[in-house]
Amino acid sequence: MTNNIMQAMVLRKTGTPLEWTELADPQPGRGEIRVQVAACGVCRTDLHVVDGELPDPKVPIIPGHEIVGRINSIGADVAGLSIGERVGIPWLGHTCGICPYCLEHRENLCDHPLFTGYTRNGGFATMVVADARFAFPLGETGDDTSLAPLLCAGLIGWRSLVIAGEGKKLGLYGFGAAAHIIAQVAQSQGRSVFAFTRPGDAATQSFARGLGAVWSGGSDEMPPELLDAAIIFATVGELVPLALKAVRKGGRVVCAGIHMSDIPRFPYRLIWEERQLLSVANLTRQDGIEFLRLAPKLGIITKTNSYPLNQANQALADLRAGRFEGAAVLVP
Ligand SMILES: [Zn+2]
Ligand SMILES: [Zn+2]
């Protein structure tokens, strides 16, 4: 730890590896806090940013939006937060507060947002500055590394689960960081989880059953009974018609990712009978407050794989290749 110099893994150009960089400590401006990063999860969205699959990243950029750390400096006009307090910094980094979406409490769709690790600097670093209004106080329960994946995998998963409705039989396509958290939440609500993985991925299928899934199999398989709803966490458009086929009349299919490969054409009968296809974008602060209040009560256990900060490229490569179960977390 140093006083005036921070370390960061910086994306200079999309499609290139992150570079270990030393920078002057950032200073919090009006309404901002500076946080000493204790852990930062690695999300599929970080891969999309690095790969240039999302439009107009603000390069050079420090990725990372599942940040857990402690406040070590507070700018002007910040209320309700104190030095040393542990906070989480999520993907939604700023909203305008005045566009039609903000005004109708749908700030996840804000016309002029900033996103942590995409259009403002994130947590693949020892230090990060954040808009104080978008930081979540985390309290002292739980260790930093275990909490980090809740900040996006957990939050986006939670929003997806709410949008999926009340159905008891829930399919999860792609059993990575988000699904392994949401499977636990869904079961605490009395739902049955059906886990779909890459075909032949026996290790992840058994990981899912170990977390209580009543059935697990390849995404090319049909579940043993029709589902009430399915959430697609994988970024594969081919899964959309498969999931529609697996849900009952009136069932919902929710696409949880920020990016997906093209959805192939499919016959109208797959969406006929009031099946619904929806997507989830970003999060609202209300989602975060609800989920982070609920998570400790449910005793959610996150499976994490820790990497030192300077091995962020390895963590991204391992995520891409599906080389671990659960979530990767960088620890400075
Ligand atoms: Zn707005
Ligand atoms: Zn994310």
Side-chain angles (χ1 to χ4, degrees):
M1 224 165 295
T2 56
N3 287 326
N4 304 309
I5 299 291
M6 68 172 241
Q7 285 83 38
M9 292 298 284
V10 176
L11 178 70
R12 300 207 175 277
K13 186 171 175 293
T14 58
T16 66
L18 307 182
E19 290 176 25
W20 176 259
T21 308
E22 297 205 318
L23 300 158
D25 278 354
Q27 299 304 320
R30 181 175 293 262
E32 293 181 327
I33 51 173
R34 189 178 67 197
V35 172
Q36 179 87 43
V37 179
C40 184
V42 181
C43 174
R44 175 76 48 180
T45 300
D46 296 313
L47 269 184
H48 297 317
V49 170
V50 170
D51 290 347
E53 286 168 330
L54 303 183
D56 308 319
K58 189 193 83 54
V59 285
I61 185 85
I62 303 169
H65 57 271
E66 295 180 311
I67 306 168
V68 175
R70 289 187 187 273
I71 298 173
N72 69 3
S73 181
I74 299 181
D77 296 335
V78 173
L81 292 170
S82 47
I83 298 285
E85 187 169 0
R86 186 165 69 163
V87 291
I89 312 292
W91 168 249
L92 187 68
H94 177 85
T95 55
C96 75
I98 54 171
C99 75
Y101 299 100
C102 282
L103 293 177
E104 59 189 37
H105 307 293
R106 301 170 82 194
E107 64 180 359
N108 60 309
L109 302 177
C110 175
D111 280 333
H112 304 285
L114 289 175
F115 295 115
T116 311
Y118 174 35
T119 52
R120 70 177 290 157
N121 277 333
F124 288 8
T126 54
M127 211 89 82
V128 63
V129 164
D131 183 326
R133 298 170 305 153
F134 292 81
F136 298 118
L138 291 178
E140 296 297 330
T141 308
D143 69 272
D144 301 329
T145 306
S146 309
L147 289 173
L150 300 183
L151 268 304
C152 183
L155 281 181
I156 298 288
W158 169 249
R159 187 173 175 84
S160 306
L161 183 64
V162 171
I163 287 178
E166 301 287 318
K168 294 290 181 211
K169 288 177 235 162
L170 177 73
L172 301 177
Y173 284 80
F175 205 85
H180 99 287
I181 294 169
I182 288 313
Q184 299 174 58
V185 179
Q187 289 172 85
S188 78
Q189 298 172 328
R191 309 189 202 220
S192 302
V193 169
F194 296 74
F196 298 80
T197 71
R198 297 180 215 213
D201 185 352
T204 305
Q205 288 166 17
S206 103
F207 176 59
R209 284 193 301 275
L211 282 172
V214 295
W215 176 90
S216 63
S219 56
D220 55 344
E221 294 175 48
M222 279 292 278
E225 47 195 323
L226 288 178
L227 307 171
D228 298 314
I231 304 173
I232 304 180
F233 290 112
T235 59
V236 183
E238 280 82 6
L239 295 175
V240 170
L242 290 171
L244 284 168
K245 215 177 277 182
V247 299
R248 62 166 172 78
K249 290 183 276 190
R252 286 189 191 164
V253 172
V254 179
C255 301
I258 193 170
H259 174 83
M260 191 181 245
S261 57
D262 287 352
I263 300 170
R265 326 166 42 128
F266 58 85
Y268 175 65
R269 66 180 160 74
L270 291 186
I271 200 161
W272 161 240
E273 295 171 325
E274 301 192 351
R275 289 176 183 83
Q276 296 177 37
L277 177 61
L278 305 108
S279 74
V280 160
N282 313 316
L283 68 137
T284 66
R285 280 172 283 181
Q286 194 55 35
D287 296 328
I289 290 164
E290 281 171 20
F291 178 69
L292 293 170
R293 195 180 287 153
L294 185 68
K297 289 188 196 140
L298 302 184
I300 291 171
I301 296 165
T302 50
K303 173 152 174 42
T304 57
N305 304 269
S306 297
Y307 296 77
L309 175 60
N310 63 8
Q311 287 181 26
N313 289 310
Q314 186 62 49
L316 288 166
D318 290 350
L319 173 61
R320 188 192 302 282
R323 278 194 282 260
F324 55 76
E325 307 300 345
V329 178
L330 300 181
V331 180

